[in-house]
């Protein structure tokens, strides 16, 4: 009997070793096109991917797009062209640890560092004295709130906001319900290194699918593109470090929610109400109660956590109505 288990072990160990070091998937044609249209700048020794598209003639308006977890700037691909028809410049980046940007490890990822990164990109692109519009989603919402905090207090190198549009971010810890795997990764220092290596496409597809509406699920190609962006530069291996942003939201709630409540920057929230991470009506009720200067668009009842992908037309209509209101 013991010899049988030895043979099984000898067979399984190399198979598991091969599996855990499986190479990342190749870029699809659409993802390759997105990559080819981008550029790279260096931030504290790391390469950071960004896109900067020139758009509408006769406009000087700039919009910066901040993506969510665990995806990338490619989340904005369905609304990119319409935005370029309205704005002079449309800019998006992959945060450090995401998408096509470097994913250093070990590394202490933080919302503060990502805000520094956005400010550095703005300086790199000559936008230090330019009023910018910001659209953010999920993780990007919290980065935007740190930037807003600095802007309202005239911190050195701050971004100057013209407007801020948030979408489906867990900005209130008391109304945020992270997925089970996220909780395990952020809180299990012992298990996390194992779990990050065991994350595979099927687990990823199931997890992402749960935060899309039943009628707005990504196609197989779109699921695969999201997975490819995560696996690029071994991004699965830094998930536990990045997920510390959830704990940071608790620790710095007063700073970030306070900035939202006190700012005079025009604010809007675009919200997919089927979101299991920030559920309706709990999330939007707290938002409207605390952020009374903000306008709100609640999209159709079948739209969930990724409104810019699930309902790009509804998202754009809501955003343009907001941007034309001031």
């Amino acid at each position: 009997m013991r010899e049988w288990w030895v043979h099984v072990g000898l067979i399984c160990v190399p198979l598991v070793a091969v599996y855990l070091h499986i190479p990342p998937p190749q870029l699809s044609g659409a993802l390759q096109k997105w990559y080819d249209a981008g550029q790279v700048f260096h931030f504290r020794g790391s390469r950071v991917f960004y896109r900067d598209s020139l758009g509408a003639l006769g406009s000087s308006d700039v919009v910066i797009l901040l993506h969510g977890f665990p995806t990338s700037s490619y989340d904005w691909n369905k609304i990119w062209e319409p935005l370029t028809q309205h704005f002079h410049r449309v800019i998006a980046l992959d945060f450090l640890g995401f998408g096509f940007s470097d994913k250093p490890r070990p590394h202490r990822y933080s919302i503060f560092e990502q805000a520094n990164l956005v400010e550095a990109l703005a300086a790199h692109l000559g936008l230090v004295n330019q009023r910018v519009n910001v659209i953010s989603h999920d993780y990007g919402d919290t980065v935007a709130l740190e930037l807003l905090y600095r802007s309202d207090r005239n911190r050195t190198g701050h971004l100057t906001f013209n407007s801020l549009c948030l979408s489906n971010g867990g900005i209130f810890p008391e109304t945020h319900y992270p997925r089970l795997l996220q909780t395990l990764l952020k809180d299990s220092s012992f298990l996390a290194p194992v779990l990050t290596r065991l994350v595979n496409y099927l687990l990823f597809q199931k997890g992402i699918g749960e935060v899309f509406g039943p009628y707005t699920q990504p196609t197989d190609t779109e699921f695969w593109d999201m997975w490819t962006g995560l696996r690029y530069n071994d991004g699965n291996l830094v998930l536990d470090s990045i997920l510390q942003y959830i704990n940071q939201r608790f620790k710095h709630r007063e700073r970030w929610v306070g900035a939202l409540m006190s700012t005079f920057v025009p604010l809007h929230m675009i919200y997919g109400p089927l979101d299991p991470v920030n559920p309706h009506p709990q999330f939007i009720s707290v938002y409207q109660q605390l952020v009374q200067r903000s306008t709100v668009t609640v999209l159709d009842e079948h739209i969930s956590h990724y409104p810019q992908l699930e309902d790009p037309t509804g998202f754009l209509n809501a955003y343009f109505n907001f941007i034309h209101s001031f």
Side-chain angles (χ1 to χ4, degrees):
M1 180 64 72
R2 186 171 64 182
E3 291 179 357
W4 182 81
W5 281 106
V6 170
H7 287 299
V8 170
L10 290 174
I11 294 171
C12 289
V13 167
L15 289 176
V16 170
V18 170
Y19 170 74
L20 294 180
H21 292 87
I22 190 168
Q26 295 294 310
L27 304 188
S28 69
L31 205 54
Q32 184 69 55
K33 183 178 179 182
W34 185 266
Y35 176 81
D36 291 341
Q39 302 175 65
V40 167
F41 88 108
H42 290 83
F43 173 76
R44 298 178 179 175
S46 293
R47 291 164 51 87
V48 174
F49 174 86
Y50 71 95
R51 285 198 61 180
D52 179 12
S53 293
L54 292 178
L57 297 175
S59 170
S60 60
D61 292 341
V62 176
V63 63
I64 298 177
L65 311 176
L66 306 179
H67 69 80
F69 175 91
T71 40
S72 70
S73 60
Y74 193 61
D75 290 351
W76 306 109
N77 76 92
K78 291 186 178 182
I79 65 171
W80 191 264
E81 289 305 320
L83 288 174
T84 64
Q85 295 169 22
H86 183 92
F87 290 96
H88 174 57
R89 292 174 78 175
V90 181
I91 299 163
L93 76 159
D94 288 346
F95 289 123
L96 199 65
F98 294 80
F100 294 128
S101 291
D102 281 352
K103 299 166 181 177
R105 55 184 172 91
H107 187 80
R108 189 183 295 274
Y109 291 89
S110 77
I111 294 298
F112 299 101
E113 180 183 47
Q114 306 288 20
N116 292 341
L117 170 58
V118 176
E119 291 175 338
L121 176 61
H124 175 73
L125 297 177
L127 298 175
V128 172
N129 298 314
Q130 171 86 43
R131 299 181 69 85
V132 299
N133 303 283
V134 175
I135 305 176
S136 59
H137 172 245
D138 184 67
Y139 180 90
D141 281 5
T142 304
V143 178
L145 294 186
E146 172 57 24
L147 291 166
L148 185 66
Y149 177 90
R150 298 177 185 186
S151 178
D152 283 350
R153 285 153 185 80
N154 293 315
R155 297 293 177 89
T156 302
H158 70 271
L159 210 62
T160 303
F161 280 80
N162 188 56
S163 70
L164 172 60
C165 179
L166 307 162
S167 58
N168 284 78
I171 53 181
F172 308 117
E174 64 271 27
T175 66
H176 181 241
Y177 298 88
R179 314 311 288 166
L180 175 60
L181 184 58
Q182 290 180 322
T183 302
L184 289 174
L185 285 172
K186 77 179 181 68
D187 292 335
S188 302
S189 58
F190 176 75
L191 287 175
V194 177
L195 291 175
T196 54
R197 289 190 175 274
L198 292 177
V199 171
N200 57 54
Y201 174 70
L202 293 178
L203 283 173
F204 175 82
Q205 182 184 39
K206 181 178 184 299
I208 290 291
E210 288 174 350
V211 300
F212 277 74
Y215 308 114
T216 56
Q217 288 286 300
T219 64
D220 289 344
T221 299
E222 289 168 342
F223 272 125
W224 192 252
D225 284 341
M226 292 179 189
W227 173 243
T228 301
L230 174 66
R231 283 296 322 278
Y232 193 89
N233 287 337
D234 293 325
N236 55 303
L237 301 183
V238 300
L239 289 174
D240 56 324
S241 301
I242 292 174
L243 277 164
Q244 297 310 307
Y245 78 87
I246 297 176
N247 296 329
Q248 292 164 23
R249 281 174 173 167
F250 277 96
K251 183 176 181 180
H252 303 289
R253 183 192 186 282
E254 183 176 347
R255 177 186 180 99
W256 293 331
V257 175
L260 194 58
M261 294 170 62
S262 64
T263 190
F264 286 95
V265 168
L267 294 173
H268 192 65
M269 168 66 72
I270 301 177
Y271 177 62
L274 201 58
D275 187 355
V277 183
N278 308 287
H280 187 271
Q282 185 181 4
F283 169 80
I284 206 66
S285 296
V286 172
Y287 184 84
Q288 291 178 312
Q289 178 184 358
L290 295 181
V291 194
Q292 296 182 7
R293 292 192 184 95
S294 176
T295 52
V296 173
T297 298
V298 178
L299 298 176
D300 290 345
E301 61 183 12
H302 63 276
I303 305 301
S304 187
H305 185 66
Y306 276 85
Q308 76 275 36
L309 292 175
E310 298 178 66
D311 184 11
T313 300
F315 190 99
L316 284 168
N317 287 339
Y319 183 66
F320 288 144
N321 286 338
F322 161 62
I323 210 74
H324 291 144
S325 69
F326 60 90

